[in-house]
């Protein structure tokens, strides 16, 4: 294989740049040319490509976002889109493609591989950490730490004014981010889509915790919770308790910022592993990491199989809320 391509697609995640850098530098060290595709699959359709060398990826390891830019591309779900993408790969001489992103990115990669002669390898890059086949996705650790920093600050004011705070975190339809952030931030309650939220019980728990002398109550709400948004849940609790509360939706702040050391190292290892996989003739896999070892998972499994929340963490939620 002489030439490979790399793109980032879907929601950006901190550490994507570290991954691009690793793919370029490791790829060059193994004798392949690397082409960057700008703006995700959209760039593949419009032939927005750039040759990447060692210098083009200098000083990006510490930067959030993605220098290649990203997009969600509906046209990739059409036959015409796939045809255009193949044309670009053919005319650019790209034999292998590394796609960094989440499940939407991998669906596009599979559609591409099934329709023609291109080898694809995925790298998990999403703050949601919701792809099967890896303990952690690139970007998750940074997002956890960003949200944690905010929660630590919120607790200062929550405790000083003795108000319950509903803090909404991202995570799409899964609770990985909420669970990790909630445990690390000592949240009194963690509401996740995986566990049914009983508002009646939640209100009782909040009342009891204040009666027990607690000064603050942090309720972490995953954006995909079955009882609704933080606004809706807070309102439902207010109707039962009539206690003044505040809401903080952390939103896209969680997607930005310098990647943590853990994310930079994970991104570097997975980027290099993706190049190795292509050069070994493997295709149709995502490279991930299980307990420190690189693992290849068929791309389709990454969204068809369900990744479970950590049961030990789940067990701790109630016990540690005191
Ligand atoms: O998948 C990453 C993510 O940040 C989710 O947590 C969130 O639901 C979604 O993307 C937001 O998407 P957008 O940036 O398109 O608003």
């Amino acid at each position: 294989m002489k030439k490979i391509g790399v793109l980032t697609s879907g929601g950006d995640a901190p550490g994507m740049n570290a991954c691009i850098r690793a793919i370029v530098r490791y790829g060059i060290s193994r004798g392949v040319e690397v082409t960057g595709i700008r703006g995700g699959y959209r760039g593949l359709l419009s032939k927005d490509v750039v040759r990447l060398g060692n210098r083009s990826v200098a000083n990006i390891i510490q930067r959030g976002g993605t220098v290649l830019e990203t997009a969600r591309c509906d046209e990739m779900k059409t036959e015409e889109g796939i045809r255009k993408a193949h044309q670009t790969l053919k005319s650019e001489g790209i034999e292998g493609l590394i796609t960094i992103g989440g499940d939407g990115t991998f669906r596009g990669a599979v559609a591409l591989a099934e329709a023609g002669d291109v080898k694809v390898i995925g790298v998990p890059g999403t703050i949601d950490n919701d792809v099967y086949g890896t303990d952690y996705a690139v970007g998750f650790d940074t997002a956890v730490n960003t949200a944690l920093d905010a929660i630590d600050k919120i607790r200062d004011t929550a405790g000083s004014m003795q108000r319950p705070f509903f803090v909404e975190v991202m995570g799409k339809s899964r609770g990985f981010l909420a669970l990790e952030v909630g445990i690390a931030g000592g949240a009194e309650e963690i509401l996740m889509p995986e566990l049914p939220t009983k508002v009646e019980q939640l209100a009782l728990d909040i009342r009891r915790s204040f009666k027990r002398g607690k000064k603050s109550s942090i309720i972490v709400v995953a954006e995909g919770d079955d009882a609704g948004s933080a606004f809706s849940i807070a309102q439902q609790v207010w109707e039962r308790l009539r206690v003044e509360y505040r809401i903080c939706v952390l939103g896209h702040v969680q997607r930005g910022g310098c990647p943590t050391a853990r994310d930079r190292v994970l991104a570097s290892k997975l980027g290099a592993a993706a190049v190795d996989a292509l050069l070994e003739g493997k295709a149709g896999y995502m490279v991930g990491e299980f307990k420190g070892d690189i693992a290849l998972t068929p791309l389709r499994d990454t969204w068809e199989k369900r990744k479970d929340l950590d049961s030990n963490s789940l067990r701790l939620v109630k016990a540690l809320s005191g």
Side-chain angles (χ1 to χ4, degrees):
M1 190 171 285
K2 296 260 178 305
K3 198 173 185 183
I4 64 174
V6 55
L7 61 79
T8 48
S9 159
D12 48 273
M16 280 183 163
N17 284 327
C19 193
I20 295 166
R21 173 181 177 271
I23 291 165
V24 172
R25 294 199 170 166
Y26 186 72
I28 291 171
S29 79
R30 295 217 49 194
V32 290
E33 198 179 302
V34 185
T35 296
I37 294 132
R38 289 202 204 90
Y41 290 113
R42 201 180 279 165
L44 201 51
L45 270 55
S46 61
K47 218 174 171 187
D48 190 358
V49 299
V50 57
R51 184 172 174 172
L52 298 173
N54 280 324
R55 294 281 66 76
S56 6
V57 290
N59 289 324
I60 66 168
I61 194 167
Q62 77 285 8
R63 284 169 59 189
T66 158
V67 291
L68 284 178
E69 301 181 0
T70 182
R72 302 191 199 276
C73 178
D74 284 339
E75 211 185 334
M76 263 305 277
K77 295 176 188 151
T78 67
E79 274 181 26
E80 176 60 8
I82 299 284
R83 197 187 54 74
K84 280 193 205 162
H86 272 290
Q87 260 176 5
T88 302
L89 292 169
K90 204 166 166 217
S91 66
E92 291 298 315
I94 297 170
E95 299 157 83
L97 180 67
I98 298 174
T99 62
I100 310 168
D103 66 321
T105 304
F106 300 154
R107 284 171 207 258
V110 166
L112 204 55
E114 283 176 352
D117 185 26
V118 59
K119 295 188 171 9
V120 292
I121 292 289
V123 178
T126 164
I127 65 161
D128 303 330
N129 199 30
D130 58 348
V131 284
Y132 178 88
T134 191
D135 287 334
Y136 294 104
V138 172
F140 177 67
D141 188 58
T142 307
V144 167
N145 281 289
T146 302
L148 187 58
D149 182 52
I151 287 182
D152 288 346
K153 290 178 171 128
I154 287 168
R155 197 179 279 285
D156 290 344
T157 172
S160 303
M161 297 194 74
Q162 286 127 60
R163 286 164 170 164
F165 251 91
F166 295 81
V167 183
E168 187 175 293
V169 298
M170 282 188 164
K172 221 159 56 189
S173 58
R174 299 300 311 273
F176 290 97
L177 198 48
L179 181 58
E180 195 95 345
V181 167
I183 291 190
E188 276 64 33
E189 304 281 343
I190 308 174
L191 311 182
M192 296 161 277
E194 289 81 355
L195 304 175
T197 294
K198 300 189 182 81
V199 177
E200 205 62 56
Q201 187 59 47
L202 174 64
L204 278 175
D205 288 347
I206 294 173
R207 177 180 285 144
R208 277 196 204 119
S209 86
F210 279 108
K211 277 201 175 139
R212 280 204 311 274
K214 281 208 153 204
K215 298 285 181 211
S216 61
S217 198
I218 303 285
I219 301 113
V220 171
V221 184
E223 65 176 348
D225 192 70
D226 60 316
S229 66
F231 285 93
S232 149
I233 294 171
Q235 174 66 22
Q236 294 174 60
V237 168
W238 184 83
E239 280 158 15
R240 289 161 175 87
L241 297 185
R242 306 277 159 177
V243 168
E244 196 185 358
Y245 65 84
R246 289 291 184 269
I247 294 167
C248 184
V249 178
L250 297 183
H252 286 79
V253 165
Q254 295 159 99
R255 285 245 293 265
C258 293
T260 58
R262 268 182 78 170
D263 269 334
R264 297 183 201 193
V265 172
L266 179 67
S268 303
K269 289 203 282 192
L270 295 185
V275 173
D276 279 340
L278 281 179
L279 295 184
E280 283 159 19
K282 299 194 174 106
Y285 292 99
M286 180 192 82
V287 290
E289 196 183 67
F290 279 128
K291 297 188 173 63
D293 291 328
I294 298 291
L296 294 185
T297 300
L299 278 172
R300 208 170 261 287
D301 286 358
T302 65
W303 73 86
E304 284 185 356
K305 291 194 175 166
R306 190 176 163 82
K307 178 170 169 178
D308 289 326
L309 293 176
D310 177 48
S311 54
N312 284 325
S313 302
L314 282 172
R315 239 173 5 97
L316 289 180
V317 175
K318 272 279 155 229
L320 296 190
S321 68

